Amino acid sequence: MTQGEQRREQPSAGGDWQRNVLRELGGAGGSSPSETGAGDGRGPASARPGEPTLRLVHPAPARPPATAPEEATAPEEATAPEEATAPEEATAPEAGADDVPGPQVPGPVPSSAPRAPDGPASPARLSGTPAAAGPEPERPATPSVPVRDPRLPASPAPESSPTLDPRLLLALGRPLHGDSVTRRTGRALRKLTSSVNQDVAEQTRIARELQQPVTTGRVVAVTSIRGGVGKSTVSALLGRTLNHYRHDPVLTLEADTALGTLPVRMGAEAVRWTCADLAPILHPSMQLTDVTGYLVPVSDGGWLLPAGRGQVGPPLDMTSYRKVTLALRRYFAVTVADCETLPGEVARTAMDTAHARVVVAPTTAEGVGATRQVLDWLARLPHSALATTVVALVSNTPDTLLDGKTAAGHLKEAGVTVVAVPYDRHLAGGGPIRTDLLSHATQQAVLRLAAEVMGRAVRVR
């Protein structure tokens, strides 16, 4: 007998071992290989009735939460998606006292894992296992009481008021030119025969003075010894001239509540917010666009802040004036303040705190004498206020009795610069000022006055 035949006839030592394992796995203690169908290679279909079917347990790979229905159970026990069980229940053998624990199967995927939009529900939900509740995002608490912006006014916004009655606007008629036709014709002929080099050099010097850069906002205070001498007119002319020549924002502020005419002279059709209204609103966090929303835009550029709405009301107090001017200096390079007449409290405060000052004096004997007293008062101030003061000597009538040179010399004795503003038909007519209708002499006088004021305001540190 050959060695191969001996191996075939010799009972295999592993046969008993296989039979024992199959017995333990199948739950049949004395079943033979032929009884279970493992020895002849038959499958579970040849098993005897009443005996358990043998199924091999394999490690189940990790599956995504959204699985197809056929992957939920074994091929022979496929169920519908709503009957799917947890992964550990789909591949576990039938319960028995002698079951051998198979490989560990991954548990259900947490419900926080991403899920296909159209796939079946997660195994944890189908099996009834409560899903782990993830932290909910914090939601902003809704305040029961709305928070008011501190920059907004506490009271309702005031209503807009016209600067002049519409019937008075119609009664104004057509504005006159400052120069008559004869004077304009004669000046045009003189320009043809004279050299323009000197005029160009003077205009260049004035423009350079007006366009001087500033490190902080400059305040120019304009006042007079009494009303009706042209204080608001000079303020409007200065504001428009500086705005025309400068590239940074310019503000013209009215600090005279005695029914001042500055809004009318600046060409404003209506006013709404005043200095007293804006004082409690201004806040350091406001931007220029926020501030200009409370101001009146001027037709040819610049901004206007009136002191009243054309009605008799309480005068502007010193605290509100100081707060408004100090706050607006952050946004405007130059602020021209049309103050009340001296010796009012706001006027004295403005003259004391401004970077440059303009005192408007009428070309009359009593007007020049009172202005000289004001200059002497400025000379007694603790700081050098007289060095930054310019006097505008205004002629309100073409038939002036006082000699202009004598009046200017009397004022210069105090140590100030005097600029004479001649009579102008356009300014004398009242109403909105149109710079293109000003006389040539008035234009040159206003340019010189603005240059003198700006030069002094810049030199102050």
Side-chain angles (χ1 to χ4, degrees):
M1 181 181 297
T2 64
Q3 187 176 358
E5 294 175 352
Q6 293 177 357
R7 286 197 301 267
R8 285 193 301 268
E9 293 180 359
Q10 185 179 0
S12 175
D16 296 338
W17 174 81
Q18 294 177 355
R19 184 164 50 251
N20 295 334
V21 172
L22 292 176
R23 184 185 305 112
E24 294 177 358
L25 293 176
S31 301
S32 62
S34 60
E35 293 173 345
T36 59
D40 56 359
R42 291 178 298 175
S46 60
R48 295 179 182 180
E51 293 183 357
T53 303
L54 175 63
R55 293 179 297 171
L56 298 180
V57 181
H58 300 282
R63 301 175 184 177
T67 57
E70 60 271 13
E71 297 176 357
T73 58
E76 62 273 15
E77 298 179 1
T79 59
E82 60 271 8
E83 299 177 358
T85 57
E88 61 270 13
E89 298 175 359
T91 57
E94 296 181 0
D98 300 330
D99 290 347
V100 178
Q104 296 294 329
V105 181
V109 182
S111 59
S112 60
R115 157 182 177 178
D118 296 329
S122 61
R125 185 169 62 88
L126 293 175
S127 60
T129 305
E136 296 183 0
E138 296 183 0
R139 299 181 181 179
T142 304
S144 57
V145 179
V147 180
R148 186 181 65 86
D149 191 345
R151 295 175 296 180
L152 298 179
S155 58
E159 296 182 359
S160 180
S161 302
T163 55
L164 276 180
D165 191 281
R167 295 172 296 180
L168 294 178
L169 290 177
L170 295 177
L172 281 176
R174 183 178 179 180
L176 296 176
H177 197 284
D179 285 330
S180 62
V181 178
T182 304
R183 296 184 63 179
R184 281 180 285 170
T185 303
R187 187 168 57 86
L189 294 176
R190 286 192 300 270
K191 288 178 62 176
L192 295 176
T193 58
S194 62
S195 175
V196 297
N197 294 335
Q198 185 176 358
D199 294 340
V200 171
E202 181 66 13
Q203 294 293 331
T204 303
R205 184 191 66 81
I206 292 177
R208 189 180 300 112
E209 289 286 334
L210 295 176
Q211 296 174 356
Q212 294 184 77
V214 295
T215 55
T216 58
R218 304 283 124 171
V219 179
V220 178
V222 182
T223 187
S224 61
I225 192 60
R226 67 172 185 266
V229 300
K231 174 178 59 66
S232 297
T233 300
V234 172
S235 301
L237 291 173
L238 285 176
R240 292 198 167 195
T241 302
L242 293 172
N243 179 78
H244 176 75
Y245 279 90
R246 298 191 64 84
H247 302 288
D248 37 22
V250 176
L251 173 66
T252 306
L253 183 146
E254 185 184 27
D256 185 4
T257 57
L259 299 179
T261 59
L262 182 63
V264 178
R265 301 299 263 171
M266 294 291 291
E269 298 179 358
V271 294
R272 187 174 185 181
W273 297 93
T274 64
C275 289
D277 298 330
L278 196 58
I281 299 175
L282 291 175
H283 194 271
S285 63
M286 298 177 68
Q287 303 295 326
L288 177 61
T289 53
D290 301 328
V291 174
T292 54
Y294 298 98
L295 307 179
V296 180
V298 184
S299 58
D300 54 354
W303 303 92
L304 168 68
L305 179 59
R309 286 180 285 272
Q311 301 173 358
V312 178
L316 181 67
D317 59 285
M318 181 185 62
T319 304
S320 299
Y321 171 80
R322 291 178 65 92
K323 182 176 181 180
V324 169
T325 52
L326 289 176
L328 295 181
R329 282 173 52 185
R330 301 176 54 247
Y331 309 98
F332 297 94
V334 183
T335 300
V336 179
D338 180 18
C339 303
E340 62 182 356
T341 57
L342 291 169
E345 183 182 21
V346 175
R348 288 186 285 108
T349 302
M351 296 292 287
D352 189 26
T353 59
H355 299 90
R357 303 151 187 86
V358 177
V359 180
V360 181
T363 312
T364 59
E366 60 273 18
V368 172
T371 303
R372 176 63 185 270
Q373 297 178 9
V374 172
L375 298 179
D376 295 339
W377 168 74
L378 290 175
R380 293 192 298 269
L381 292 178
H383 53 277
S384 180
L386 199 62
T388 57
T389 301
V390 181
V391 176
L393 190 60
V394 180
S395 297
N396 295 319
T397 175
D399 302 323
T400 303
L401 299 178
L402 184 65
D403 181 62
K405 292 183 178 180
T406 304
H410 182 71
L411 296 174
K412 288 180 181 179
E413 292 177 357
V416 297
T417 300
V418 180
V419 177
V421 180
Y423 170 78
D424 190 286
R425 296 193 309 170
H426 177 64
L427 297 178
I433 297 176
R434 291 179 50 181
T435 54
D436 58 326
L437 295 181
L438 295 176
S439 66
H440 178 70
T442 302
Q443 293 179 5
Q444 298 302 314
V446 172
L447 285 176
R448 184 188 172 198
L449 177 64
E452 294 288 345
V453 170
M454 199 64 201
R456 286 163 172 77
V458 172
R459 286 195 295 267
V460 176
R461 301 300 178 188

